[in-house]
Amino acid sequence: MKRLQKCCCCASTRTGTLITAVLGIILSIATIITVWVVEKHKVSFSTFIFDDDFDKKLSDLDIPRIILTLNLCFTILICSLLIVAVLKRRSWLMLPWVVLGIVLAIGLLISVLHTSITYYLMEDKTEEKEEHRGHVVLATAILIGGLIYLCLYL
């Protein structure tokens, strides 16, 4: 099996890996800042396991923000490990980053499917035909766009 020689057909794999790790750290830090600066109730949080009151209590206690921040801190740690792996030429230190990539791909697939299915099932809650058609178009766009994004990510 032939080894990958170039990243994006122009840079070395070493340079591409360093750029990827640095961008991962920058995007994680930007996301942490955004999560804590943006107004609290812009995004709906629901567990689908508990009732709406419990979901509201979790949101009021900032539990989703805290969990997301912890995940992003681990992403920063893993990307830092990737930088160390490249600089020290230790390929086994890259393994956590590979695992993170696989987990993120699975999470993206689940998220795209869940979101599109939720919009497809909104027909029961909408009374107007035009509103239902809008949900179907949005669900289809999310499904197709999300799957294209997943293919690019992989």
Side-chain angles (χ1 to χ4, degrees), residues 107-118:
L108 176 62
L109 177 64
I110 291 170
S111 178
V112 165
L113 291 175
H114 174 269
T115 304
S116 59
I117 290 170
T118 300

Side-chain angles (χ1 to χ4, degrees), residues 81-133:
L81 247 164
L82 184 62
I83 292 172
V84 171
V86 169
L87 295 177
K88 299 237 182 212
R89 297 184 185 269
R90 303 278 187 260
S91 59
W92 59 272
L93 285 174
M94 295 179 185
L95 188 60
W97 191 82
V98 172
V99 172
L100 174 70
I102 293 169
V103 169
L104 289 176
I106 293 169
L108 176 62
L109 177 64
I110 291 170
S111 178
V112 165
L113 291 175
H114 174 269
T115 304
S116 59
I117 290 170
T118 300
Y119 278 111
Y120 279 127
L121 295 178
M122 279 191 165
E123 71 179 287
D124 299 336
K125 298 178 181 176
T126 58
E127 296 170 9
E128 295 181 25
K129 192 112 174 136
E130 290 297 319
E131 191 176 345
H132 171 62
R133 189 172 302 131

Side-chain angles (χ1 to χ4, degrees), residues 1-6:
M1 181 175 197
K2 189 174 178 184
R3 290 181 64 180
L4 186 63
Q5 300 292 328
K6 299 258 184 214

Side-chain angles (χ1 to χ4, degrees), residues 9-74:
C9 299
C10 60
S12 69
T13 53
R14 184 180 168 109
T15 304
T17 303
L18 287 172
I19 291 170
T20 301
V22 169
L23 284 176
I25 291 171
I26 291 170
L27 288 174
S28 294
I29 292 171
T31 305
I32 290 171
I33 292 170
T34 304
V35 162
W36 289 100
V37 169
V38 172
E39 190 178 329
K40 190 175 187 175
H41 295 289
K42 291 284 185 187
V43 176
S44 171
F45 171 76
S46 59
T47 58
F48 299 104
I49 297 170
F50 306 110
D51 62 348
D52 292 335
D53 292 335
F54 187 73
D55 290 342
K56 178 136 177 49
K57 288 177 187 173
L58 285 177
S59 290
D60 289 342
L61 293 172
D62 286 330
I63 301 298
R65 288 181 177 190
I66 292 169
I67 291 171
L68 182 59
T69 302
L70 285 173
N71 286 335
L72 290 167
C73 287
F74 277 111

